[in-house]
Amino acid sequence: MSENTEIGSGFRPSGQLQFGVFFQGVNSGTIWKAPEAGSQTDFESFRRLAQTAERGLFAAFFLGEGLRLREHLGRPHALDVAGRPDAQTMLAALAAVTTKIGLVATQNTTYNDPADLAHRLSSLDLLSGGRAAWNVVTTDNAWTGANFRRGGYLDHADRYRHAEAFVETAKRIWDAWDDGAIAGSTAAPGWAAPDSIRRVRHEGQHYSVDYVPRLPRSAQHRPVLFQAGDSSEGRDFAARQADVIFSAHAKFDAALDFRRDIVARTLKAGRGANDVQIMPASEFILAATAAEALEKKEWVRSLQIGPRQAIAYLEQFWGRELSSYDPDGPLPEIDPVVEETSETRGSGFHGAKARQLADQWRAEAKDKGLSIRQFVSAKTSRVDATFTGSYAEIADRLGDYARAGAVDGFNISPWLVPSGLDDIVNHLVPELQERGIYPTEYGGSTLREHLSLPVPVRSADASPVSAASDVDTAGDDIRLELAVRSQQL
Amino acid sequence: MSAATNTTARQGFLALELDGDGAHPAAWRAAAHAPAALLSGDRIRATVLAAESAGFHAATFADGPVDAQLSRPGVGAAGRLDAVQRAAFASPLTRSIVLVPQVDTVFTEPFHVATQLASLDYVSGGRAGWLVSASGTAAEGAAVGRTAVAGDGLAGEAAASIEVGRRLWDSWEDGAVVRDVASGRYLDVDQLHYADFDTEKFFPAEGFPGAGYSVKGPAIIPRPLQGQLPVLVPAELFAQLPDPSAADAVLVSAPSTELLATEVAELRGRLDGAGPAPAIIAELDVVLDARGQSAADRVAALDAHTPWHNPRARYVGSAEGLVELLAEVLAAADGVRLHPAVVDVDVEELSRLVLPALRRRGTLAPTLVDGTFRDLLGLGRPANRYTAEREEGERNE
Ligand SMILES: Cc1cc2nc3c(=O)[nH]c(=O)nc-3n(C[C@H](O)[C@H](O)[C@H](O)COP(=O)(O)O)c2cc1C
């Protein structure tokens, strides 16, 4: 732990932590080889995890998204769990069997239409009584685009400019209905009050929107916004737009640095030091004693990265078949193929960098005396994001995070479905509650309330424009369009 | 094959449209809740449970843009929740009722639609279907930066979207998730297939009438529980589909109740002998005498607020009369979809008087217990288009 845990810049640690659960669905972290590993697609797996999380007062249940099936050397990747339900469809079903937990859908800005996505998120928000959130991701590659009408149309450099215009448009769609828009009684003159719903128009480089939003604001006004994406542009985007960052920095020192970086960016964006919360991705391997936890970790790792996964992992970077290499031997001496290697999570890895990386890895493995399997296990095991230990010991460590304000909570990826949260909820949560750093009840009924987020300010649109009478409000529409054009892509 | 075509005493199914407060544009005025409560999970829970308890076999959820004349007093509800999500929310609350959202094919992404519907099949335990729509209006297009689509374009977009869905649903063979610990393989890659859909190849002769596109695949979700979700298509669209076998059921309307059975019989005649026939579902608006008011008076009262113009056949009258009409129509059709004028009023009457009487007569098929929508339609589990191909290939090796 670092000496100086001061964040500074007016940031005030809340002293509290929140948990989320991240049901990824496509990854090597989820064990499928153990007999207790359940289905990745049956509704019961999702229900069980969501209800366990809710019993443990988790703020949120997250689903990931990948819009193209993961591949390995040009064919679908066979060794890890894959194939998952659509996030929002699943969350809408879970909304019916949960009452408090937030429901977070990871959804891409490149291969969705703003009006359609905003409408579906709004539906989820209303159906769940104000518990919906959108984890904004910007995967833009053409390989994913091959599944969509537009194909790969977006330059990587433009992904966040596009995402920002998208999110701004979504916010305007969510804010388009005045609070009193819907009649208070069945005797009112009309179902919607005149001029209480604004048409939303946007003309962008890649798309245009001209839409009369179909839904009012929800109990939490509009969906909570999460952001996941670690580049500098991604962080600035989050500082301007997001309520919570789903980060990749769980290790204490890295979390502190990341917090400082985000506080600085948030202040620069004209928001308060505490306005953007941070929940890193994390993994917990817990037991009654530290020794048992370590033993459990060995078992978890051996099932996460078997010999074939270890070879396949290297193949992704080498861009070639390496099946003749011994997983328990040293890293391959052969060089990577210098061309674009297979894309797995949508982030292209280029061969030019591959040779450099291979050299670096070979040196590293040799230095530490690691075999392929040991090396890959160390690389992939999210060492930085794994908390291994006894319940009490880990609760103490999390206390440091809470006191320093390094994070606002953790987004936990269970390594077993659907029972992977049981020990966390049964044993870790009570320890945290005893230490006064974890909620003892839900803070309300909406996700915004659980996270103590402020009520969002309405998007600054022009005065209400009658959706119906284009003719007599044409003046307003033109004014609105000009206002919008000046801030578009 | 359509449901129960071979049995002498035909049995049919009943579907109920659950959109909004009912089919009448002024239905919200007669609803048993405050107007804003329409757009909530509680409302879906209440209506779908009422439909299931009444013994309806299926619930449908209309979607699409709502009345755009928002600022004019007297119009109907301007709000509508996404139909796939309404059906998904209803799924874990119910056990037997089939759940069918209406989903557009013109301005949507076929890949997303296929994924959402496959997911609905998972959350509902195989009770999902797809009511295809293709209206192509300028307003819908403008929302996604496109222009109106009409004529051949509509059927083209619908046919392409259905084909994308069907290919993606087959792109994982049933046994693709092998979870083979010995070999370390979660998936058997040989049982995964690219959909490789391309509008140009799909419409080789006449050409695709819209902006062409392609979808690579495979799906990002395993094959739906039913293999293929039943696809329901309105008759007007069905007539224009290049390949009628794309539809599993056709929704038939008529201008009056008297013509409904005839219309159904005519369609059946046209379909006979032309390969496996889709099920035929007749469309009917319903207003019943209720709460001491005659059905006609109820319509008049609602019409005084907002007139009800609708090309569908409309039954306005007593429960007994409706029982007679449904018995007649179900003798020709595989099912009837009812559009209640006011959900909160008419479903109660249907539940109390109409469905029990039809059951007593033996007109209604039993409701499903742990069955699928395909079971209800009498459709077997569909073969996977890629399995035969692969097995053939393996034999030749
Ligand atoms: C912890 C974490 C989880 C993520 N999960 C997903 C996911 O499920 N689906 C996805 O498409 N992108 C996911 N991403 C985000 C993408 O990596 C990101 O949007 C994209 O790579 C571009 O952002 P960047 O260049 O700022 O990293 C995740 C990112 C992080 C940090």
Side-chain angles (χ1 to χ4, degrees), chain B residues 7-22:
Chain B
T7 47
T8 36
R10 277 188 82 85
Q11 289 192 323
F13 61 87
L14 286 182
L16 182 66
E17 171 56 52
L18 281 181
D19 187 51
D21 283 310

Side-chain angles (χ1 to χ4, degrees), chain A residues 80-414:
Chain A
D80 297 335
V81 297
R84 59 182 152 193
D86 169 63
Q88 290 203 61
T89 308
M90 177 55 74
L91 294 175
L94 289 173
V97 296
T98 54
T99 57
K100 297 285 191 187
I101 194 165
L103 304 165
V104 193
T106 300
Q107 304 270 271
N108 172 285
T109 48
T110 309
Y111 298 111
N112 276 297
D113 283 300
D116 175 59
L117 183 61
H119 174 67
R120 284 187 292 119
L121 287 162
S122 202
S123 288
L124 183 63
D125 207 16
L126 285 158
L127 276 176
S128 62
R131 295 188 281 138
W134 172 20
N135 180 33
V136 183
V137 296
T138 61
T139 304
D140 55 67
N141 60 73
W143 177 77
T144 301
N147 282 334
F148 298 96
R149 287 181 188 261
R150 289 172 193 271
Y153 68 96
L154 190 66
D155 201 344
H156 183 67
D158 285 340
R159 69 194 183 290
Y160 280 110
R161 278 208 298 154
H162 178 76
E164 191 135 13
F166 192 122
V167 169
E168 294 277 4
T169 304
K171 285 179 175 172
R172 289 169 55 214
I173 289 172
W174 295 329
D175 289 347
W177 289 40
D178 285 342
D179 286 334
I182 305 176
S185 86
T186 55
W191 191 88
D195 301 326
S196 61
I197 299 170
R198 279 169 294 277
R199 178 186 288 272
V200 172
R201 287 189 167 139
H202 172 81
E203 284 290 333
Q205 185 189 339
H206 299 293
Y207 58 88
S208 63
V209 176
D210 179 352
Y211 180 62
V212 179
R214 279 179 231 163
L215 290 172
R217 302 219 288 177
S218 74
Q220 63 170 356
H221 299 275
R222 64 188 186 208
V224 169
L225 289 180
F226 283 72
Q227 182 271 356
D230 203 34
S231 60
S232 180
E233 299 100 301
R235 293 179 184 197
D236 279 334
F237 166 73
R240 288 190 299 270
Q241 299 288 353
D243 298 305
V244 188
I245 296 176
F246 180 11
S247 90
H249 310 281
K251 199 177 177 180
F252 190 75
D253 290 347
L256 274 180
D257 287 346
F258 185 71
R259 167 74 80 189
R260 291 189 187 107
D261 182 64
I262 293 302
V263 166
R265 290 175 196 265
T266 307
L267 292 172
K268 215 170 115 202
R271 298 172 71 192
N274 278 69
D275 281 4
V276 179
Q277 301 192 0
I278 301 173
M279 292 177 83
S282 58
E283 179 187 53
F284 287 77
I285 304 177
L286 308 175
T289 66
E292 281 172 79
L294 275 176
E295 210 173 291
K296 199 169 181 179
K297 184 176 171 179
E298 285 294 302
W299 176 77
V300 170
R301 292 291 183 249
S302 71
L303 289 172
Q304 285 173 326
I305 301 291
R308 289 198 49 173
Q309 269 106 337
I311 296 290
Y313 182 81
L314 292 188
E315 285 173 343
Q316 285 176 63
F317 295 91
W318 260 252
R320 68 196 315 158
E321 252 239 86
L322 301 171
S323 57
S324 59
Y325 287 85
D326 177 6
D328 294 315
L331 265 61
E333 281 309 323
I334 191 170
D335 270 328
V337 179
V338 184
E339 61 185 1
E340 194 170 324
T341 56
S342 73
E343 298 182 66
T344 55
R345 305 190 56 206
S347 48
F349 181 81
H350 297 272
K353 282 186 249 160
R355 197 163 275 175
Q356 220 179 322
L357 187 91
D359 287 342
Q360 204 182 310
W361 281 7
R362 280 190 286 248
E364 192 181 326
K366 204 168 165 193
D367 251 23
K368 297 181 182 162
L370 300 178
S371 68
I372 289 179
R373 188 135 57 130
Q374 290 163 328
F375 180 81
V376 173
S377 180
K379 273 278 170 252
T380 54
S381 62
R382 290 178 291 185
V383 259
D384 292 353
T386 304
F387 293 86
T388 310
S390 72
Y391 306 117
E393 186 186 343
I394 296 304
D396 284 340
R397 274 178 66 194
L398 297 192
D400 295 338
Y401 284 81
R403 267 187 304 282
V407 302
D408 295 282
F410 292 92
N411 208 4
I412 302 171
S413 294

Side-chain angles (χ1 to χ4, degrees), chain B residues 18-386:
Chain B
L18 281 181
D19 187 51
D21 283 310
H24 196 290
W28 64 277
R29 296 188 179 280
H33 61 84
L38 170 67
L39 304 171
S40 69
D42 286 346
R43 175 67 184 167
I44 294 160
R45 187 189 311 264
T47 52
V48 79
L49 288 179
E52 187 171 66
S53 324
F56 280 96
H57 300 81
T60 62
F61 302 88
D63 211 344
V66 273
D67 191 336
Q69 304 298 306
L70 300 180
S71 63
R72 309 244 170 93
V75 298
R80 179 178 258 164
L81 296 163
D82 177 71
V84 173
Q85 288 192 21
R86 275 180 280 159
F89 185 90
S91 294
L93 303 172
T94 51
R95 267 201 71 190
S96 67
I97 197 164
V98 162
L99 303 162
V100 187
Q102 176 181 329
V103 183
D104 175 47
T105 50
V106 181
F107 298 117
T108 44
E109 279 289 354
F111 189 84
H112 286 320
V113 170
T115 311
Q116 288 161 15
L117 289 166
S119 304
L120 181 63
D121 204 40
Y122 276 93
V123 300
S124 66
R127 290 181 286 134
W130 177 10
L131 203 172
V132 170
S133 77
S135 51
T137 62
E140 281 171 280
V144 298
R146 288 173 55 195
T147 51
V149 174
D152 289 352
L154 292 177
E157 292 283 1
S161 281
I162 296 169
E163 178 68 10
V164 170
R166 292 207 180 279
R167 287 192 194 192
L168 288 171
W169 294 337
D170 275 354
S171 66
W172 292 53
E173 292 185 43
D174 286 321
V177 178
V178 285
R179 289 176 169 257
D180 181 26
V181 177
S183 70
R185 290 173 316 145
Y186 182 81
L187 300 176
D188 174 4
V189 174
D190 291 339
Q191 295 191 55
L192 293 173
H193 306 275
Y194 290 115
D196 278 328
F197 173 85
D198 191 329
T199 46
E200 253 173 61
K201 282 184 238 151
F202 189 57
F203 294 87
E206 67 278 39
F208 184 61
Y213 66 91
S214 59
V215 175
K216 183 71 188 170
I220 49 177
I221 177 171
R223 196 170 192 227
L225 295 178
Q226 297 182 87
Q228 293 276 325
L229 276 73
V231 173
L232 283 59
V233 180
E236 319 80 73
L237 187 59
F238 177 74
Q240 295 170 41
L241 286 182
D243 173 12
S245 75
D248 296 301
V250 182
L251 294 157
V252 178
S253 296
S256 71
T257 54
E258 292 75 28
L259 292 173
L260 199 51
T262 318
E263 199 73 39
V264 168
E266 274 180 19
L267 177 63
R268 183 152 336 265
R270 284 202 297 280
L271 293 172
D272 263 356
I280 298 177
I281 303 171
E283 299 266 46
L284 185 64
D285 280 344
V286 168
V287 198
L288 292 174
D289 302 339
R291 302 176 187 183
Q293 246 191 321
S294 77
D297 286 350
R298 289 182 52 218
V299 175
L302 292 169
D303 276 354
H305 289 293
T306 320
W308 189 16
H309 303 296
N310 196 339
R312 271 193 299 266
R314 182 183 306 163
Y315 175 83
V316 182
S318 68
E320 300 79 54
L322 180 60
V323 171
E324 293 305 323
L325 174 64
L326 288 175
E328 181 204 332
V329 177
L330 283 171
D334 298 287
V336 176
R337 178 162 76 140
L338 301 180
H339 300 255
V342 178
V343 171
D344 287 348
V345 178
D346 291 294
V347 174
E348 205 176 299
E349 300 305 311
L350 289 164
S351 170
R352 220 162 48 84
L353 301 170
V354 177
L355 275 80
L358 288 169
R359 267 195 297 270
R360 276 196 299 276
R361 289 184 175 210
T363 307
L364 293 187
T367 51
L368 293 172
V369 180
D370 296 325
T372 67
F373 189 13
R374 294 187 73 89
D375 292 340
L376 181 69
L377 293 173
L379 298 167
R381 193 178 167 80
N384 187 316
R385 69 186 67 197
Y386 300 110

